[in-house]
């Protein structure tokens, strides 16, 4: 993943927190989706290393959802977002997210990042 931003450099976007380098694009993308009648809602965005470790442990022991190994997740750099499955969201993202610099991780229709990982 890209180098993690310190938590004090992470900025707010509607429903989440991201690296400042993508914040403008995320806001513009959410506005564009809204104009198209689609509500993009963030389920997960920036995660601290400790939070990623907790999620990965839960995944490994069968009590949590799929989670990347700590140190490999773009969530830790604030450059990944997981979106909720609101009506039309995943289809809209598939067709439009790349215009805003975000790419999908194949097999995870909810997960978008700057690298597609």
């Amino acid at each position: 993943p890209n180098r993690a931003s310190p938590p004090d450099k992470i900025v707010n976007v509607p429903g989440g927190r991201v690296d400042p380098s993508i914040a403008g694009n995320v806001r513009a993308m959410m506005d564009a989706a809204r104009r198209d009648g689609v509500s993009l809602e963030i389920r997960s965005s920036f995660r601290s290393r400790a939070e990623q470790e907790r999620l990965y442990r839960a995944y490994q022991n069968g009590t949590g959802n799929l989670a990347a190994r700590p140190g490999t997740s773009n969530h830790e750099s604030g450059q990944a977002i997981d979106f909720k499955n609101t009506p039309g969201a995943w289809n809209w993202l598939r067709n439009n997210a790349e215009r805003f610099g975000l790419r999908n991780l194949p097999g995870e229709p909810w997960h978008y990042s700057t690298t597609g990982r």
Side-chain angles (χ1 to χ4, degrees), residues 12-66:
N12 293 324
V13 293
R17 298 174 67 215
V18 298
D19 186 87
S21 67
I22 69 167
N25 280 359
V26 170
R27 289 184 191 108
M29 184 173 76
M30 294 176 92
D31 288 344
R34 189 176 315 105
R35 286 192 301 274
D36 289 342
V38 174
S39 175
L40 295 182
E41 295 180 21
I42 295 174
R43 177 178 306 282
S44 181
S45 51
F46 170 75
R47 298 179 192 148
S48 67
R49 177 67 176 249
E51 176 70 2
Q52 190 67 34
E53 289 170 354
R54 185 188 68 74
L55 292 170
Y56 188 66
R57 277 193 308 272
Y59 166 62
Q60 283 193 307
N61 70 27
T63 62
N65 295 325
L66 180 64

Side-chain angles (χ1 to χ4, degrees), residues 1-2 9 15 23 35 40-41 54 60 75 81 95 101 105 110 112:
N2 295 315
K9 300 288 188 217
R35 286 192 301 274
L40 295 182
E41 295 180 21
R54 185 188 68 74
Q60 283 193 307
H75 285 284
I81 299 171
N95 292 321
L105 175 64
W110 59 86
Y112 282 79

Side-chain angles (χ1 to χ4, degrees), residues 88-104:
W90 292 353
N91 186 55
W92 191 93
L93 286 163
R94 181 175 54 252
N95 292 321
N96 295 281
E98 284 198 40
R99 292 190 297 138
F100 300 92
L102 293 177
R103 296 169 37 190
N104 178 243

